[in-house]
Amino acid sequence: MNRKFWTLISLLLVAALLLAACGQKPSGGESAATGPVTIRFFHKWPEPEHMEFYNFVIQEYEKTHPNVKIVMESVADEPYKDKIRVLMASGEVPDIYFSWAGEFSWKFARGGQALDLTDAVMNSDWKDKIILSAVEPYKWQGKIYGVPMRINAKFMVYNKAMFEQYGLQPPTTWDEFLAVCETLKQNGVTPIAFGDEFPWAASHYIGDFNAKLVDPAVRQADYLLTAPAEQLFTDPGYVEALSRFQLLMDKGYFNEGPNGISHSGARSSFIAGKAGMMYIELEEFVTVADGMGADAFGFFQFPSGTGGKGDQKLLTGAPDGFMVYSKTKHPQEAIDFLKFLTSPEMGKEYVKRLGIPSAAVGAVSAETALPIVVAGVESINTASGMALWLDTDINIKIVEVYLPGMQAVLNGTKTPQQVMSEVQEAAKTVQQELKNQ
Amino acid sequence: MSLVSTPQQPASADYFQRSARAQHLSRFFAYLLFIVLTMIALYPLIWVATNSFKTDLQLFEHSWSLPKEWHWENYARAWKFGIAKYILNSVLVTVVAVLINITISMMAAYALARYQFKGRNLLLYFILGGLMLAPEVSLIPLFRILTTLKIYDTYLAMILPNVAFGLPFTTFLIRSYMLGLPRDYEEAAVIDGASALSVFWHVIVPLCRPILASAMLLDAMRVWNEFMFALTFIVSDNLKTMPLGLMSFAGALREQWTVVMAGIIISAIPMIALYLLTQKQFIRGLAAGGIKG
Amino acid sequence: MTISRLFSARRLTPYLFLLPAILVMATFVYLPIIENFYYSLFRWSSIDPRFTFVGLNNYKRILSDSIITVSLRNNVLYAVISVFFQVFIALVLAAILEGRVIRPRWGSFFRNMLFLPSVLAITVVGITWQLIYRPDTGLLNQFLEGVGLGFLKRTWLGDEGTAIYSVIAVSQWQWVGYVMILFIVAIQAIPEELYESARIDGANLVSQFIHITVPLVRETTLVMTTITVIGAFKVFDIVWVMTAGGPNHASEVLGNYLYRVAFRNDEMGYAAAIASLLFIITFLLTFVQLRLGRSGEEV
């Protein structure tokens, strides 16, 4: 009996092990000397058009580097935020991974998960091939931890036909903006399409308000948690920011129920001509152009901060880039591939295929991109600087209080003051924790 | 017509009539109720199915009507996008997990139902206790265990936790069934000198067939639909099971809802078909003593 | 009795039969629970894997975390509503289907149709209902508008007041038919003579239900209540797919909050403490059920 019994068990085990072997993905290539080098590459653009581009880059690279095999994985924007953490926790960190700029990337540096790329970038021709200002937000303690792939900023786009019909001009001050909204509303048009199912969308508004309503030095000290504990996030500009946001909701300038609509759902209704304006990223221009025609819409910088103490010439936006895992077995190859990916040649290809501005020098031009995209890039270049996405620029524990608070403001269940006092509490706690480490 | 089923009515004519009318009425309302419920149960899927053949514009303008032209290309796109791959992964994970689970559960249930031994009750609670535990509690440590075992982001990372969390219920079902089985066959086999394993294999397993079918179907439904382990333990797109795949599919296609709807329908079909094909056995197995009144 | 006799194959047989189950359960269910308690005493994150011992601070934090309160409230709501629909309503429906009012052929048709939602994957269900709940183009608001109930239109998943109910409603839609089938099986096991003699005594359907059906399916009712209540505390996937706990944490449940804290807020230790809380709750619920049911021997 015992023998048969164990036969059964071992059969099971063998079956299980076989499966495990099948399921095993190529590991980091322990036998680096002989076998091909495998580089694992992880990003947040699983959309078919994007995947085509990355597949193209990989093919091109592997042609000239037969010893390197690039294994790519991707998940969409929202799930990326937890998937990358899951991977960090598992120790199966990809050799090259996407990261938003600012605090989101710094915490990888703090946690020892990111390779210092300063030398690779600054002591080679790499530094001449990427827009250096886009590297800045990937610097932590003076060292470069990430390389930008593309640049992005937020603009208000508007339906040209509608503006013409109601005799409207792109506004340049907050009051003018409100007047435009009011006119549209009076004519039965939803002034602004807004989808805040995932509250990063609201955070882009608030980030912009904050940048223009709060003194830059004060804001910097708050975001970086270097201000004295008692002063963190106490500037009245923050409350004003939320109040202006609330005003847009209360006046009925947003569509109904933004918290129940996704950002892309709202974009569909803007494209369908059901709203006059929408606050979108430069990368989305091409989608809107595909949907309603490149000439059917225009853009302007959101005049959100008239009268505030912030820098009115700031633009909300950030580069998107990649980091290299600190413990990668193949730093040389990983860096080399990243350099190829961010090169002007690939950058041009990126702009051509996707219509999204690349961070490579000279990639965006009249030849590669739509005029309206070129104009957007122009605006980035003339802006006095960038205010990074709020949700990736401050510590995640504050984000997790701040962003739901914005949804509550939209729903009318919390006042701006309440939200800010919760943010202050969270900021104090985080500051304390960071000190203790 | 309702009289057929109730032949023993009291003789009073008045009562007879009243009761017949009441029966008609209650029959009417019962049918009405269930027709409405069936519509509530099915309409969401029917709505998705009809809209999956439209263009996005038609979806927004006339989501109630039948499609004017049938856009089969939505299905082609969904299929090309990898739905097929996700379903295949689901099939693999489900089949393997269910087979392992049923085998282990059968053996455990047999020991618990037929043997007297020290610690039996303790072991019974040890296994059945799993019924009550939330898998979330084990999530973070499980994650580290799988990493240590080097099976993170493999099929096994879904199969093994699924077996562990499915085992209590299947063991419970099979054991309850075994408790109701007569011992005659086993005793005869033992007298004939059969070993424990051969009694198990040649006597018990065949007798348990009805409950095995039900238990397998229930377990397959659970594994097929499992979401949290797949979400946490799988990164590679090539390994994703259908529930997770559909989610990334919807995420990547963003607003192409009609294609997403086609994907939803493709993903729903296998389990609906499996259930409709096996439902008779399923009910019979449960009725045969799995769950008692 | 010699040692060899004591450990003879015959005595070991049941243990050997149980061994795989025990191994699997120990490794993947019980060991993690113990580890979880250990992890909950530290501060650590996925990105920064250094463990900082913080004692019971994570537990103290649970007591003052208002999102935990919201989550618990939502879990309780989930449990209460689910017990009403998935135990009470499902039992009534099962009784009607088995009550000779509906012809058997139609009975099994209805039974299968109501069961169908439960075979669907959680993402299929979640995404479908997201589409139905959409404020502008969703089926529900269009339907309300169409039947003249336009004033009831809501941003179902985006409104803090309705989000959790909208998700709970989907769970009922999915599972009522499933539990109904289990009750049907239980009712079929009731001897037909009981109903016959009740009918002769002139008992109507309602009193047959109260006096025969309900008492005789008591065991199934208890099991289903327990499974439903505990299920309501385990819930994660449908919430994660449909609202991810939003807006403003209004639809947060413990399972969802735990996942968010672990893999979004970078607080693995605190997440482990929330997991412990979940464990204690389900443990207590099981204990209470065992005391109430006294059916421990049968389970």
mmCIF file of all heavy atoms in Angstrom, chain A residues 194-214:
data_model
loop_
_atom_site.group_PDB
_atom_site.id
_atom_site.type_symbol
_atom_site.label_atom_id
_atom_site.label_comp_id
_atom_site.label_asym_id
_atom_site.label_seq_id
_atom_site.Cartn_x
_atom_site.Cartn_y
_atom_site.Cartn_z
ATOM 1 N N PHE A 194 -15.187 66.200 -17.564
ATOM 2 C CA PHE A 194 -14.289 65.837 -16.472
ATOM 3 C C PHE A 194 -14.648 64.446 -15.955
ATOM 4 O O PHE A 194 -15.787 64.191 -15.570
ATOM 5 C CB PHE A 194 -14.415 66.885 -15.352
ATOM 6 C CG PHE A 194 -13.510 66.649 -14.167
ATOM 7 C CD1 PHE A 194 -12.237 66.124 -14.327
ATOM 8 C CD2 PHE A 194 -13.940 66.982 -12.885
ATOM 9 C CE1 PHE A 194 -11.406 65.917 -13.231
ATOM 10 C CE2 PHE A 194 -13.109 66.790 -11.783
ATOM 11 C CZ PHE A 194 -11.848 66.262 -11.961
ATOM 12 N N GLY A 195 -13.695 63.552 -15.998
ATOM 13 C CA GLY A 195 -13.887 62.190 -15.474
ATOM 14 C C GLY A 195 -12.913 61.933 -14.355
ATOM 15 O O GLY A 195 -11.709 61.934 -14.562
ATOM 16 N N ASP A 196 -13.427 61.724 -13.165
ATOM 17 C CA ASP A 196 -12.561 61.610 -11.987
ATOM 18 C C ASP A 196 -12.770 60.280 -11.271
ATOM 19 O O ASP A 196 -12.594 60.176 -10.065
ATOM 20 C CB ASP A 196 -12.848 62.776 -11.024
ATOM 21 C CG ASP A 196 -11.770 62.924 -9.961
ATOM 22 O OD1 ASP A 196 -10.596 62.674 -10.288
ATOM 23 O OD2 ASP A 196 -12.111 63.276 -8.821
ATOM 24 N N GLU A 197 -13.135 59.248 -12.028
ATOM 25 C CA GLU A 197 -13.310 57.936 -11.403
ATOM 26 C C GLU A 197 -12.037 57.551 -10.659
ATOM 27 O O GLU A 197 -12.079 57.055 -9.541
ATOM 28 C CB GLU A 197 -13.639 56.910 -12.493
ATOM 29 C CG GLU A 197 -13.850 55.520 -11.965
ATOM 30 C CD GLU A 197 -13.892 54.483 -13.085
ATOM 31 O OE1 GLU A 197 -13.556 54.829 -14.240
ATOM 32 O OE2 GLU A 197 -14.259 53.348 -12.795
ATOM 33 N N PHE A 198 -10.908 57.726 -11.313
ATOM 34 C CA PHE A 198 -9.624 57.597 -10.627
ATOM 35 C C PHE A 198 -9.126 59.008 -10.357
ATOM 36 O O PHE A 198 -8.920 59.790 -11.288
ATOM 37 C CB PHE A 198 -8.630 56.818 -11.470
ATOM 38 C CG PHE A 198 -9.027 55.382 -11.645
ATOM 39 C CD1 PHE A 198 -9.351 54.893 -12.884
ATOM 40 C CD2 PHE A 198 -9.106 54.541 -10.544
ATOM 41 C CE1 PHE A 198 -9.732 53.566 -13.041
ATOM 42 C CE2 PHE A 198 -9.490 53.223 -10.685
ATOM 43 C CZ PHE A 198 -9.805 52.727 -11.936
ATOM 44 N N PRO A 199 -8.935 59.344 -9.094
ATOM 45 C CA PRO A 199 -8.792 60.755 -8.736
ATOM 46 C C PRO A 199 -7.477 61.399 -9.138
ATOM 47 O O PRO A 199 -7.251 62.555 -8.806
ATOM 48 C CB PRO A 199 -8.960 60.738 -7.204
ATOM 49 C CG PRO A 199 -8.647 59.362 -6.787
ATOM 50 C CD PRO A 199 -8.992 58.465 -7.934
ATOM 51 N N TRP A 200 -6.608 60.714 -9.874
ATOM 52 C CA TRP A 200 -5.430 61.433 -10.378
ATOM 53 C C TRP A 200 -5.884 62.596 -11.251
ATOM 54 O O TRP A 200 -5.208 63.617 -11.353
ATOM 55 C CB TRP A 200 -4.476 60.519 -11.140
ATOM 56 C CG TRP A 200 -5.063 59.810 -12.339
ATOM 57 C CD1 TRP A 200 -5.482 58.512 -12.361
ATOM 58 C CD2 TRP A 200 -5.312 60.324 -13.653
ATOM 59 N NE1 TRP A 200 -5.983 58.201 -13.611
ATOM 60 C CE2 TRP A 200 -5.887 59.289 -14.421
ATOM 61 C CE3 TRP A 200 -5.103 61.562 -14.263
ATOM 62 C CZ2 TRP A 200 -6.263 59.448 -15.754
ATOM 63 C CZ3 TRP A 200 -5.474 61.729 -15.595
ATOM 64 C CH2 TRP A 200 -6.047 60.674 -16.336
ATOM 65 N N ALA A 201 -7.051 62.419 -11.891
ATOM 66 C CA ALA A 201 -7.536 63.466 -12.784
ATOM 67 C C ALA A 201 -7.765 64.769 -12.016
ATOM 68 O O ALA A 201 -7.389 65.845 -12.477
ATOM 69 C CB ALA A 201 -8.807 63.008 -13.482
ATOM 70 N N ALA A 202 -8.364 64.662 -10.838
ATOM 71 C CA ALA A 202 -8.568 65.856 -10.016
ATOM 72 C C ALA A 202 -7.225 66.408 -9.557
ATOM 73 O O ALA A 202 -7.034 67.619 -9.474
ATOM 74 C CB ALA A 202 -9.438 65.524 -8.808
ATOM 75 N N SER A 203 -6.283 65.507 -9.284
ATOM 76 C CA SER A 203 -4.996 65.965 -8.753
ATOM 77 C C SER A 203 -4.251 66.826 -9.780
ATOM 78 O O SER A 203 -3.446 67.666 -9.408
ATOM 79 C CB SER A 203 -4.136 64.786 -8.303
ATOM 80 O OG SER A 203 -3.449 64.222 -9.394
ATOM 81 N N HIS A 204 -4.527 66.614 -11.052
ATOM 82 C CA HIS A 204 -3.882 67.474 -12.054
ATOM 83 C C HIS A 204 -4.420 68.906 -11.977
ATOM 84 O O HIS A 204 -3.691 69.857 -12.169
ATOM 85 C CB HIS A 204 -4.072 66.892 -13.454
ATOM 86 C CG HIS A 204 -3.276 65.640 -13.686
ATOM 87 N ND1 HIS A 204 -3.234 64.988 -14.880
ATOM 88 C CD2 HIS A 204 -2.479 64.925 -12.851
ATOM 89 C CE1 HIS A 204 -2.450 63.924 -14.787
ATOM 90 N NE2 HIS A 204 -1.987 63.860 -13.560
ATOM 91 N N TYR A 205 -5.710 69.008 -11.727
ATOM 92 C CA TYR A 205 -6.279 70.347 -11.513
ATOM 93 C C TYR A 205 -5.658 70.987 -10.275
ATOM 94 O O TYR A 205 -5.155 72.110 -10.310
ATOM 95 C CB TYR A 205 -7.793 70.248 -11.274
ATOM 96 C CG TYR A 205 -8.647 70.287 -12.519
ATOM 97 C CD1 TYR A 205 -9.101 69.112 -13.108
ATOM 98 C CD2 TYR A 205 -9.025 71.504 -13.096
ATOM 99 C CE1 TYR A 205 -9.909 69.135 -14.236
ATOM 100 C CE2 TYR A 205 -9.829 71.542 -14.221
ATOM 101 C CZ TYR A 205 -10.272 70.353 -14.800
ATOM 102 O OH TYR A 205 -11.063 70.391 -15.907
ATOM 103 N N ILE A 206 -5.716 70.258 -9.161
ATOM 104 C CA ILE A 206 -5.262 70.831 -7.896
ATOM 105 C C ILE A 206 -3.779 71.166 -7.970
ATOM 106 O O ILE A 206 -3.326 72.197 -7.456
ATOM 107 C CB ILE A 206 -5.556 69.875 -6.729
ATOM 108 C CG1 ILE A 206 -7.048 69.542 -6.680
ATOM 109 C CG2 ILE A 206 -5.105 70.466 -5.400
ATOM 110 C CD1 ILE A 206 -7.958 70.740 -6.513
ATOM 111 N N GLY A 207 -3.015 70.285 -8.625
ATOM 112 C CA GLY A 207 -1.586 70.551 -8.775
ATOM 113 C C GLY A 207 -1.355 71.885 -9.477
ATOM 114 O O GLY A 207 -0.494 72.677 -9.091
ATOM 115 N N ASP A 208 -2.145 72.116 -10.502
ATOM 116 C CA ASP A 208 -2.006 73.360 -11.247
ATOM 117 C C ASP A 208 -2.422 74.565 -10.406
ATOM 118 O O ASP A 208 -1.729 75.581 -10.357
ATOM 119 C CB ASP A 208 -2.857 73.284 -12.523
ATOM 120 C CG ASP A 208 -2.385 74.289 -13.573
ATOM 121 O OD1 ASP A 208 -1.251 74.108 -14.075
ATOM 122 O OD2 ASP A 208 -3.127 75.246 -13.865
ATOM 123 N N PHE A 209 -3.549 74.436 -9.729
ATOM 124 C CA PHE A 209 -3.988 75.522 -8.827
ATOM 125 C C PHE A 209 -2.916 75.810 -7.783
ATOM 126 O O PHE A 209 -2.549 76.957 -7.547
ATOM 127 C CB PHE A 209 -5.286 75.121 -8.107
ATOM 128 C CG PHE A 209 -6.545 75.268 -8.925
ATOM 129 C CD1 PHE A 209 -7.398 74.195 -9.112
ATOM 130 C CD2 PHE A 209 -6.895 76.495 -9.483
ATOM 131 C CE1 PHE A 209 -8.579 74.319 -9.838
ATOM 132 C CE2 PHE A 209 -8.073 76.638 -10.205
ATOM 133 C CZ PHE A 209 -8.914 75.543 -10.388
ATOM 134 N N ASN A 210 -2.425 74.742 -7.140
ATOM 135 C CA ASN A 210 -1.408 74.921 -6.097
ATOM 136 C C ASN A 210 -0.199 75.673 -6.640
ATOM 137 O O ASN A 210 0.302 76.607 -6.007
ATOM 138 C CB ASN A 210 -0.932 73.570 -5.571
ATOM 139 C CG ASN A 210 -1.942 72.932 -4.631
ATOM 140 O OD1 ASN A 210 -2.944 73.555 -4.282
ATOM 141 N ND2 ASN A 210 -1.692 71.700 -4.233
ATOM 142 N N ALA A 211 0.260 75.268 -7.826
ATOM 143 C CA ALA A 211 1.478 75.862 -8.378
ATOM 144 C C ALA A 211 1.304 77.363 -8.588
ATOM 145 O O ALA A 211 2.259 78.122 -8.503
ATOM 146 C CB ALA A 211 1.830 75.179 -9.694
ATOM 147 N N LYS A 212 0.088 77.769 -8.877
ATOM 148 C CA LYS A 212 -0.131 79.172 -9.211
ATOM 149 C C LYS A 212 -0.659 80.000 -8.044
ATOM 150 O O LYS A 212 -0.673 81.210 -8.090
ATOM 151 C CB LYS A 212 -1.074 79.266 -10.411
ATOM 152 C CG LYS A 212 -0.372 78.720 -11.659
ATOM 153 C CD LYS A 212 -1.317 78.503 -12.789
ATOM 154 C CE LYS A 212 -0.590 77.885 -13.978
ATOM 155 N NZ LYS A 212 -1.525 77.499 -15.025
ATOM 156 N N LEU A 213 -1.140 79.320 -7.019
ATOM 157 C CA LEU A 213 -1.714 80.053 -5.883
ATOM 158 C C LEU A 213 -0.810 80.058 -4.664
ATOM 159 O O LEU A 213 -1.015 80.817 -3.731
ATOM 160 C CB LEU A 213 -3.075 79.455 -5.507
ATOM 161 C CG LEU A 213 -4.176 79.614 -6.569
ATOM 162 C CD1 LEU A 213 -5.391 78.780 -6.214
ATOM 163 C CD2 LEU A 213 -4.555 81.074 -6.748
ATOM 164 N N VAL A 214 0.203 79.182 -4.666
ATOM 165 C CA VAL A 214 1.090 79.099 -3.506
ATOM 166 C C VAL A 214 2.488 79.514 -3.937
ATOM 167 O O VAL A 214 2.951 79.134 -5.022
ATOM 168 C CB VAL A 214 1.116 77.661 -2.944
ATOM 169 C CG1 VAL A 214 2.037 77.576 -1.734
ATOM 170 C CG2 VAL A 214 -0.285 77.198 -2.592
#
